Amino acid sequence: MTSLRNKVFGIMGAVVGLTAFHANAAEEVNVYSLRQPFLIEPMFKQFTQETGIRVNTLFSQSGLVERIKHEGRNSPADLLLTVDIGRIQDAVDADIATPLQSDVIDANIPEQFRDQDHLWVGLTTRARVLYTSLDRVKPDAISTYEELADPEWKGRICVRSGMHVYNIALVASMIAHHGEEYTKTWLQGLKDNLARKPQGADIDQIEAVSQGVCDLAIGNSYYYGKMLDDPNKADAAKDVRIVFPNQGDRGTHVNISGVALIKNAPNKENAIKLVEFLSGDEAQHMYADVNFEYPVKPGVAWSEMVRSWGTFKSDTLPLNEVANNRGAAIRLIDEVGFNE
């Protein structure tokens, strides 16, 4: 009898783009992914070549945590791939994750990028950086997140919604370092310095600097690589410089793309094998290279483009602390009316 799990997975695949699925395959692993297929398929193909274990992927831009929760014990999902500590924490809060324990993973991935209860593990990192105008801003004009609230930047900063997970994580890191009172004052100062209401995505902020709408934008580092790699956006990217904040003290805030093992995973052993593979040297380089991100495993070579931006010191604040401060961050962003 075809299992309900297989029926559910087959239906969902038809809806959101399942790339491969063999209902009766003995050696397989099923991955629900909020990451786009082109980012992960090269590693999955390599894993299958080396192990013989087929990887079935199900891609969606949203709603996968809710789907897994709804499917319950019948879910075919073994792993959830997603981005940002906030979205990973959503999976933990939904009680769909189970401890992912492996000596290989623990040896490959620094503790900073692993959950203290083993409910998730990071696979790549990205830095939350500043983009400043080459023409209108001197190279040393700003060097910290704290300076974003200085009056000299009034009317000169562009940023996406304060309620986006990337900005919530940045604010949560500020709370972890400075406390809520300081962070609320800083948020108000940053809001007062905006050139326009928060809007668009990170790439839109870089383009706004290029167009003269503002002199400084806040965005994730890999968007810079995407723009430089896109003939239609490269000229805008070349109008800005990338600034890694807080190199003189705690380092630049970094976030992750990560993975969680699903509580009722039908192929748990294969799922752990896949995460162990993704944490290894070969996959780490491939995974980070394709999206202009940084490997989480120390010693793995960065892509040529990412190396061209220079090395930087990253904030070593455990992401569990960022996750713990997300609620307070959302409250402060709301209290200062950041998006109004």
Side-chain angles (χ1 to χ4, degrees):
M1 181 179 70
T2 302
S3 71
L4 179 55
R5 274 183 171 148
N6 291 339
K7 288 181 178 177
V8 171
F9 205 38
I11 293 170
M12 290 177 58
V15 172
V16 296
L18 190 64
T19 58
F21 182 62
H22 283 203
N24 298 313
E27 292 292 334
E28 64 181 5
V29 56
N30 302 323
V31 179
Y32 282 20
S33 175
L34 286 107
R35 305 222 74 181
Q36 296 181 59
F38 80 93
L39 294 174
I40 54 178
E41 286 176 350
M43 286 77 70
F44 290 172
K45 288 181 179 176
Q46 187 66 28
F47 174 74
T48 299
Q49 288 180 4
E50 294 184 11
T51 65
I53 300 171
R54 178 181 295 276
V55 183
N56 308 311
T57 58
L58 185 67
F59 167 71
S60 177
Q61 292 183 324
S62 62
L64 290 181
V65 170
E66 292 77 11
R67 285 177 181 269
I68 295 171
K69 181 82 172 175
H70 179 72
E71 291 166 1
R73 297 183 62 84
N74 292 315
S75 177
D78 295 305
L79 294 170
L80 175 68
L81 277 178
T82 186
V83 296
D84 193 273
I85 184 60
R87 290 173 176 153
I88 296 172
Q89 189 62 40
D90 286 344
V92 174
D93 294 342
D95 196 28
I96 62 172
T98 193
L100 178 55
Q101 294 180 313
S102 159
D103 291 340
V104 173
I105 296 170
D106 290 350
N108 285 342
I109 308 301
E111 187 174 0
Q112 175 191 4
F113 302 120
R114 290 185 275 115
D115 178 53
Q116 59 191 8
D117 296 321
H118 303 278
L119 293 175
W120 52 261
V121 61
L123 294 174
T124 60
T125 66
R126 62 277 297 279
R128 195 82 179 138
V129 300
L130 310 181
Y131 296 101
T132 59
S133 168
L134 284 175
D135 295 334
R136 302 185 300 277
V137 179
K138 294 180 179 179
D140 58 352
I142 186 167
S143 61
T144 69
Y145 296 113
E146 287 77 2
E147 291 173 279
L148 290 168
D150 289 354
E152 70 175 276
W153 293 103
K154 191 171 184 61
R156 302 174 67 189
I157 297 175
C158 287
V159 67
R160 71 193 308 166
S161 169
M163 287 298 183
H164 191 276
V165 289
Y166 300 160
N167 285 331
I168 291 171
L170 174 60
V171 174
S173 76
M174 292 291 288
I175 293 173
H177 286 296
H178 295 297
E180 290 191 28
E181 183 177 354
Y182 173 92
T183 302
K184 184 174 182 179
T185 301
W186 172 78
L187 262 177
Q188 185 63 60
L190 172 56
K191 170 183 164 60
D192 292 344
N193 287 341
L194 296 182
R196 62 184 185 184
K197 289 185 178 180
Q199 57 192 268
D202 282 3
I203 286 177
D204 297 314
Q205 316 314 316
I206 298 172
E207 290 183 325
V209 174
S210 173
Q211 295 162 0
V213 176
C214 45
D215 293 334
L216 184 157
I218 304 169
N220 280 351
S221 53
Y222 60 89
Y223 287 113
Y224 190 48
K226 286 186 173 184
M227 293 181 71
L228 290 171
D229 196 48
D230 182 346
N232 295 319
K233 296 185 181 297
D235 286 346
K238 292 175 182 175
D239 286 337
V240 306
R241 70 172 62 83
I242 186 169
V243 177
F244 294 93
N246 296 82
Q247 294 304 287
D249 45 60
R250 65 181 182 274
T252 299
H253 168 65
V254 294
N255 212 313
I256 57 169
S257 71
V259 62
L261 178 64
I262 302 305
K263 181 178 290 184
N264 299 305
N267 306 291
K268 182 177 179 180
E269 290 185 5
N270 290 344
I272 293 174
K273 289 179 182 176
L274 177 56
V275 179
E276 288 176 342
F277 173 81
L278 292 174
S279 72
D281 287 9
E282 181 181 18
Q284 278 285 293
H285 178 73
M286 293 172 66
Y287 199 6
D289 183 66
V290 72
N291 200 33
F292 311 106
E293 294 180 294
Y294 298 95
V296 289
K297 184 181 180 186
V300 175
W302 297 359
S303 72
E304 182 177 351
M305 180 181 290
V306 169
R307 286 201 306 273
S308 73
W309 305 339
T311 59
F312 70 98
K313 174 184 176 183
S314 61
D315 189 348
T316 57
L317 179 72
L319 288 177
N320 273 116
E321 289 196 38
V322 173
N324 291 339
N325 283 297
R326 287 183 70 239
I330 292 170
R331 175 168 47 78
L332 294 186
I333 293 166
D334 183 60
E335 286 179 0
V336 303
F338 193 82
N339 289 343
E340 297 173 1

